[in-house]
Structure formats: structure tokens, C-alpha cells
Amino acid sequence: MKKRKVFNQISKDIKTIKIQGARNIAKKALYAYSLIPTEDSIKKLISLRPTEPMLVNVLRKTKTESLDKIFLHFDSAQEEINKFVYNLIDNGDIIYTHCHSTNVSNALIYTKNKGKHFEVYNTETRPLFQGRKTARELKEAEIKVTMFVDSAMDLALAGKGNNKKVNKILIGADALLKKGIINKVGSGMLGKLAKINKIPLYVVADSWKYSSKEVKIEERDFHEVWKSLPKDSQIKIRNPAFEFLKKKYILEIITEFGTLSYRKFLRIVKKEI
Ligand code: RUB
């Protein structure tokens, strides 16, 4: 296939969330850039998903670092994260996660493959159902998974009904900011419910998701929520893709720098990025 055609296909897949999650978006965008390495490519790729500092950081780094070196970072950071998550998880844990995060899934699969036994509860994540991807991936790795509808979040966390009580929450992040993080919509509510239910919440993320600037929350097309909404219905639909979670709800953040309080993480990341 011609380079331009591949570039355009990757752009389309990022825009339509066929390629999803901060890490996958940044990695694929870097590959697209390697095919057509111009300033215009950078502008176009950055415009595809507005809530993705990793995408911006990776493309910005092409100005000072080799593509090979940047590509290597994705796996080297993940390997470090895996080890820290392994140390965090105990046999018998009920871990809760939301949406689909490669940083989280890879670390859980690593932990399982290293011999720890735990269960995962997750949420389906409407309207695009990224929770199904998480459930499938974890199940393939022989991790026991129970998936809940989004509105059952509290019920699932608190061990109501036939459920066990969750004892650790692990979520990914799109943006790591001074005052907290941005992750899939529902993460704000999850933080508050974690506090009420006294469950520790950990963010698992590559440090390259850090941004010192403000990050816009992406609002997606209403058709994702209601495909055949009648034209004259006059119903307004809001479809924010992400949500801010204040740092006070995060017990610790796990990055390639270690398992740290959010404050300590910020001190390190400001020097590194
Ligand atoms: C995905 C999402 C993920 C983060 C982190 O949202 O919110 O939790 O991107 O993912 P979307 P990763 O599906 O809208 O892209 O760990 O893969 O970087």
C-alpha cells in the first residue's frame, strides 16, 4: 500500500476509535509520522484526538530524538510498570478497572503470568464498549473477569448482591496534569465511589502522558449514543469521552518511575519531560 494511503487509514482508525487508548494512539501515530515525516503530518495527527498529551509528546520528541529510541520507550516503560503492578497485587485481590487501558491490561496479564491469582471486575464503558476489549483480553490470559453495566459501578465496587468487595482499583490515564488526571468518562464518579467505599485507587500510566498545559476534554458525536435519533426530536445529547479526576482521589500513581504519591510523581516528571 502507498505510504499516503496507510497514513490516511491510520488517521481514520484513530479518529473512529478503531485504534484506541492513549498508548496505542501515540504509537500508531508515530508510525504514521515515520511514513510521511512532515510538520503537516504532526498537525494532522495531533488534531485527531484532542485529549492525548502522549500523542503530542511523542511527535514533539521526533525533533530531538531518533524514531527508534522513541519507539523503544513504549515497551521499556511498560516493562517497568508491569513489575510495580506485580508488587502491588496480592493473591485473592478483586481488582476493578474501567474502559480499556493497555498499560493496565498488560500489567495485569504480566502479574497473572508470573503466578498471582486475582479476579477482575470491569465496566462495559458505553457508548463504545471498550470494556468488552478489556474483558476479552484478560479472559484470554485466563484471568477471571466479571463485567458490569456502567450504572452498576457502585454495586460492583461495594460487593452488593452476589459480588465480592473490590479491594483495589486500577485505571489508566490519557492525561497526567498538575491537579489530577483525565481518563475515560466515568473515572470521576469512580474516584468518588472509591472514597465512599474506602477502596484504594491507583492510576497506571506511562509518564509521557504528562502535560504542563491545560488539556481539552473531547466531546464526541451524538450518533455514538443514539444512532437513529429523529432529526426533529429536539433532544440534545452530550457525549464527553473523558473526565477529570482530582489527585485527592488517587492513592498512588504507577509509572515507569515507580509506585508514588501523585505529588512525588509530579516532582520527578517535571524534570524528565
Ligand atoms: C481510553 C482510555 C484509557 C486511556 C489509557 O479511551 O480512557 O483508559 O487512554 O489507555 P478511548 P492506555 O477508548 O476513548 O481512547 O493505557 O492504553 O494508554
Side-chain angles (χ1 to χ4, degrees), residues 20-23 49 100-103 130 173-174 183-184 209:
Q20 65 76 231
R23 183 185 191 268
R49 300 284 314 267
H100 177 271
S101 153
T102 302
N103 283 152
Q130 290 94 328
D174 289 274
N183 191 47
K184 178 55 57 186
K209 294 170 180 173

Side-chain angles (χ1 to χ4, degrees), residues 17 19-25 49 52 54 98-104 128 130 171-174 182-185 204-205 209 218 220 241-242:
I17 323 239
I19 296 167
Q20 65 76 231
R23 183 185 191 268
N24 294 334
I25 292 167
R49 300 284 314 267
E52 301 296 353
M54 191 177 199
H98 181 55
C99 195
H100 177 271
S101 153
T102 302
N103 283 152
V104 172
L128 296 180
Q130 290 94 328
I171 53 168
D174 289 274
I182 295 175
N183 191 47
K184 178 55 57 186
V185 67
V204 179
K209 294 170 180 173
E218 180 182 2
R220 295 188 59 88
F242 300 105

Side-chain angles (χ1 to χ4, degrees), residues 217-267:
I217 301 264
E218 180 182 2
E219 176 103 24
R220 295 188 59 88
D221 192 276
F222 72 86
H223 290 103
E224 287 180 353
V225 180
W226 194 340
K227 210 171 172 190
S228 53
L229 179 73
K231 265 204 182 108
D232 57 356
S233 71
Q234 295 188 338
I235 295 171
K236 187 175 174 186
I237 295 191
R238 296 291 311 273
N239 185 19
F242 300 105
E243 193 173 6
F244 181 69
L245 173 67
K246 282 188 190 161
K247 60 186 173 192
K248 70 174 182 185
Y249 295 110
I250 301 167
L251 182 67
E252 283 174 311
I253 174 163
I254 303 167
T255 67
E256 68 273 27
F257 303 142
T259 304
L260 302 167
S261 68
Y262 203 78
R263 199 169 38 88
K264 266 198 191 141
F265 162 73
L266 286 177
R267 236 187 283 145

Side-chain angles (χ1 to χ4, degrees), residues 75-142:
D75 288 341
S76 62
Q78 182 73 59
E79 278 162 26
E80 293 305 305
I81 288 170
N82 290 348
K83 291 183 215 155
F84 297 125
V85 169
Y86 174 83
N87 288 335
L88 181 84
I89 292 177
D90 298 308
N91 281 321
D93 273 353
I94 310 289
I95 314 273
Y96 192 93
T97 193
H98 181 55
C99 195
H100 177 271
S101 153
T102 302
N103 283 152
V104 172
S105 282
N106 283 355
L108 291 176
I109 293 167
Y110 173 90
T111 302
K112 165 75 183 175
N113 290 341
K114 283 271 172 192
K116 289 209 179 158
H117 302 288
F118 56 92
E119 272 185 55
V120 173
Y121 286 4
N122 81 319
T123 357
E124 61 177 352
T125 320
R126 280 174 185 265
L128 296 180
F129 301 104
Q130 290 94 328
R132 293 181 186 172
K133 184 175 176 188
T134 302
R136 255 189 242 116
E137 246 174 42
L138 299 183
K139 195 72 199 81
E140 264 165 37
E142 293 174 13

